[in-house]
């Protein structure tokens, strides 16, 4: 109790409503209103340091979070300052938005639509959503619903349950959708040069 720097929250339900992105550390960049994370006092800027008693970092957080059995304790550090170049929140994100307002297009013929159906949560795909980019899959957990559905690293999320999404809306759309629902991605067409 005597450690104001660390907050311990009990996760009893999914979806939890906490969007975590990794620049260096797994940091909360969005807390959805009306979800358990908000009720537990989780705030934007907090850094996840432990999942179910296991210390985590930027590389291990997602896997541990998806595989943790409910209920479990999440430990958050409330005091780690946001780096000025963080592309998700704070000054870095604002700069990225101004500097590079348009993310590279994924609408051209070098990309194709990939559609899948989400049959359950947790889905098992980690999405990186920096301000000046698209929501892009950076990890797919082995044995997950995402792997079974054919989602691949590099896929760009465009639609969730029929709604178009971008870096600011994808997370809420995924958390609010009830399986089964459809997802549409843009996927780079494998170019065989020869």
């Amino acid at each position: 109790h005597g450690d104001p720097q660390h907050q311990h929250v009990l996760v009893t339900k999914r979806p939890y409503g906490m969007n975590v992105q990794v620049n260096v550390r797994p940091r909360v960049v969005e807390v959805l209103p009306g979800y358990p994370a908000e009720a537990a006092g989780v705030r934007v800027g907090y850094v996840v340091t432990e999942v179910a008693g296991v210390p985590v970092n930027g590389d291990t957080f997602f896997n541990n979070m998806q595989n943790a059995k409910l209920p479990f304790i999440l430990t958050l550090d409330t005091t780690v300052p946001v780096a000025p170049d963080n592309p998700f929140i704070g000054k870095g994100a604002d700069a990225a938005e101004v500097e590079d307002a348009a993310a590279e297009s994924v609408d051209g013929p070098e990309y194709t639509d990939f559609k899948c159906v989400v049959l359950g949560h947790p889905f098992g795909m980690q999405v990186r959503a920096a301000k000046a980019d698209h929501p892009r899959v950076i990890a797919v957990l082995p044995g997950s619903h995402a792997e079974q559905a054919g989602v691949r690293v590099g896929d760009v999320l465009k639609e969730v349950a029929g709604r178009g999404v971008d870096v600011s809306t994808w997370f809420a759309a995924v958390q609010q959708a009830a399986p089964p629902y459809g997802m549409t991605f843009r996927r780079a067409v494998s170019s065989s040069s020869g």
Side-chain angles (χ1 to χ4, degrees), residues 62-136:
F62 183 71
N63 195 15
N64 287 33
M65 187 77 182
Q66 291 273 300
N67 289 316
K69 300 276 179 271
L70 295 171
F72 62 91
I73 301 270
L74 208 52
T75 304
L76 301 134
D77 189 320
T78 62
T79 62
V80 182
V82 177
D85 65 345
N86 187 305
F88 306 106
I89 54 173
K91 291 185 173 60
D94 298 341
E97 243 178 332
V98 172
E99 197 177 295
D100 182 15
E104 106 194 61
S105 172
V106 292
D107 297 326
E110 64 278 14
Y111 284 85
T112 182
D113 275 353
F114 168 72
K115 294 178 187 288
C116 72
V117 175
V118 176
L119 296 173
H121 288 149
F123 190 55
M125 84 179 170
Q126 184 176 10
V127 173
R128 178 178 169 87
K131 282 283 164 69
D133 196 7
H134 302 283
R136 195 178 297 271

